[in-house]
């Protein structure tokens, strides 16, 4: 398989994961994920809106080959790593009725690893695409 084809498939796969993320934000907003979104902390509501916009931009950008998709991807991935590590206490500083269980808090570590891996994978795809452009 040619490197540019591999890069394209990588972008499609990452886009699929981000489409799932967008769906989760929509389900949150519809109060279909276990809490009433209208009563959720304002920061959670704002994060759902921001990440829905970023996720949709990533999906559309990666599928269409637009650079904005790459920029949105790195913005989303890096900011979520920061949110779930450096700013974890801020994210989880919510009223008692919204406090996540220990399992849900542990899931944040999984999300951090997901974003680290996708950054490495997308960087590899960009390198493959750049290498193809250099040999063309």
């Amino acid at each position: 398989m040619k490197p540019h084809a591999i890069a394209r498939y990588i972008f499609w796969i990452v886009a699929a994961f981000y489409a799932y993320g967008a769906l989760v934000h929509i389900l949150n907003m519809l109060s279909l994920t276990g809490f009433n979104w209208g009563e959720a902390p304002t920061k959670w509501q704002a994060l759902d809106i921001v990440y829905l916009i970023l996720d949709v931009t990533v999906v559309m950008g990666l599928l269409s080959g637009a650079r904005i998709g790459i920029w949105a991807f790195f913005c989303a991935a890096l900011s979520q790593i920061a949110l779930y590590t450096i700013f974890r206490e801020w994210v989880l500083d919510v009223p008692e009725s919204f406090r996540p269980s220990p399992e849900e808090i542990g899931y944040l570590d999984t999300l951090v690893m997901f974003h680290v891996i996708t950054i490495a994978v997308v960087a590899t795809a960009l390198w493959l695409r750049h290498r193809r452009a250099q040999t063309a």
Side-chain angles (χ1 to χ4, degrees), residues 6-132:
I6 294 170
R8 184 175 46 233
Y9 290 130
I10 288 171
F11 289 155
W12 290 350
I13 291 166
V14 171
F17 281 114
Y18 275 76
Y20 170 76
L23 177 63
V24 169
H25 295 298
I26 291 168
L27 294 175
N28 285 347
M29 291 177 196
L30 295 173
S31 300
L32 297 175
T33 56
F35 65 91
N36 183 331
W37 193 76
E39 296 174 4
T42 304
K43 61 184 157 192
W44 283 13
Q45 293 172 341
L47 290 170
D48 271 327
I49 293 167
V50 167
Y51 284 104
L52 173 60
I53 292 166
L54 280 171
D55 289 350
V56 169
T57 305
V58 169
V59 171
M60 293 176 67
L62 290 181
L63 294 180
S64 70
R67 285 186 184 174
I68 186 100
I70 299 295
W71 288 105
F73 163 76
F74 281 109
C75 180
L78 292 170
S79 64
Q80 286 188 54
I81 290 169
L83 275 175
Y84 300 145
T85 57
I86 300 167
F87 300 108
R88 179 180 285 210
E89 287 184 33
W90 175 79
V91 170
L92 297 176
D93 184 20
V94 294
E96 185 67 36
S97 60
F98 286 95
R99 291 251 164 80
S101 68
E103 295 81 23
E104 292 168 324
I105 293 170
Y107 180 68
L108 297 180
D109 294 331
T110 303
L111 289 176
V112 169
M113 286 309 303
F114 167 78
H115 290 298
V116 168
I117 291 167
T118 57
I119 287 170
V121 168
V122 168
T124 300
L126 290 170
W127 176 78
L128 289 169
R129 198 169 73 176
H130 176 73
R131 195 176 91 187
R132 176 187 176 252

